[in-house]
Amino acid sequence: RETGDLQCLVDAMQLYEYEVKKVELHDASPLKLKVCKSIMMIGIKKVAIQRILEDADIRGHEVFLEYQEDAADDAGSQTAEKSSFEAVWRAAETMTEAIDIIKGELMPVFPPTWNVFPIWAACVGSVCSQYIVQQIGGQEGNNLTLLTPNQLLQLMSFIENFREKVGHDSTTMLASNKAEFVTVNDLMRGEMIEAADESLVRVLTVLWH
């Protein structure tokens, strides 16, 4: 039902966009143009995508919190460091496995020209990056020496799995010695929504580095 409601909303927004463009092309009276342009400045599509990112951000943090709470309950059976790592890794894997579901069931609702999937995937990657960066002691990796070889392999496996799910490989990474962290708030800016593919590459670059 929720997907059906969303489809109706998207269809209505597409119809609205079409009518606005038609007015601009065929009825260029000053008053109508002024109204159309002022409404378009609101950016209905941008606002809709921002809401999608907000929901993804909230859900992402909920997933990590759930695993962290479970880890805290089981902390007696293993060290705090190992328990914390397992919580972050399992949450990140859960988020990654959900990508196929979202891609198959939700993304077809949106027209391809909206390019929603890359910016949504960038949001998921940003949330995962935030917790991973905290776990390894910042972008400098101050706590990497505390991880076991198996844990390092798990992190690498997650990064490879995530890149595969979103359809990118190492050749798309930015040629930069230091990747600037991309927050969800950054992704909600209009220019990053419009450049969705580039935004996803920036997030993937942070994970890679």
Side-chain angles (χ1 to χ4, degrees):
R1 178 183 174 184
E2 291 178 355
T3 302
D5 292 343
L6 183 58
Q7 181 70 70
C8 291
L9 176 61
V10 171
D11 290 344
M13 291 168 65
Q14 281 189 282
L15 178 61
Y16 175 80
E17 286 182 325
Y18 170 76
E19 292 298 326
V20 168
K21 290 178 181 177
K22 190 167 69 173
V23 168
E24 287 187 302
L25 290 172
H26 303 294
D27 190 353
S29 64
L31 179 58
K32 284 191 175 182
L33 277 178
K34 183 178 180 180
V35 171
C36 286
K37 289 181 179 180
S38 64
I39 293 176
M40 288 186 73
M41 286 179 63
I42 298 174
I44 295 178
K45 181 175 71 174
K46 183 180 75 173
V47 172
I49 293 176
Q50 286 174 333
R51 180 58 186 271
I52 292 170
L53 298 184
E54 288 174 1
D55 289 343
D57 183 41
I58 291 171
R59 178 53 185 157
H61 288 295
E62 288 176 347
V63 169
F64 277 91
L65 181 60
E66 288 171 7
Y67 278 102
Q68 288 174 332
E69 289 177 344
D70 289 343
D73 293 338
D74 298 335
S77 60
Q78 55 188 344
T79 65
E81 291 82 4
K82 183 177 180 181
S83 178
S84 176
F85 174 86
E86 289 296 324
V88 169
W89 178 70
R90 289 171 60 200
E93 284 288 289
T94 297
M95 295 283 289
T96 302
E97 291 306 316
I99 290 176
D100 285 338
I101 299 174
I102 297 298
K103 187 188 295 185
E105 297 184 5
L106 183 59
M107 290 305 157
V109 172
F110 300 98
T113 54
W114 284 26
N115 214 18
V116 173
F117 178 73
I119 197 69
W120 176 85
C123 179
V124 173
S126 177
V127 174
C128 292
S129 297
Q130 176 182 335
Y131 287 91
I132 290 172
V133 167
Q134 290 176 354
Q135 186 68 36
I136 66 175
Q139 284 191 267
E140 295 76 17
N142 295 322
N143 294 339
L144 280 173
T145 56
L146 301 178
L147 300 183
T148 66
N150 186 55
Q151 289 173 331
L152 290 171
L153 288 174
Q154 286 177 301
L155 280 180
M156 290 299 298
S157 174
F158 156 71
I159 295 170
E160 291 295 331
N161 189 29
F162 181 84
R163 289 197 336 218
E164 181 180 338
K165 293 287 186 182
V166 301
H168 283 264
D169 57 35
S170 58
T171 61
T172 62
M173 302 302 102
L174 294 176
S176 171
N177 291 326
K178 185 174 182 181
E180 182 179 351
F181 190 84
V182 181
T183 68
V184 175
N185 285 334
D186 291 334
L187 293 171
M188 289 184 186
R189 298 203 307 265
E191 61 269 24
M192 295 201 76
I193 290 176
E194 291 301 319
D197 290 301
E198 182 180 336
S199 299
L200 176 56
V201 170
R202 287 183 59 184
V203 171
L204 288 170
T205 303
V206 171
L207 280 172
W208 179 252
H209 282 278

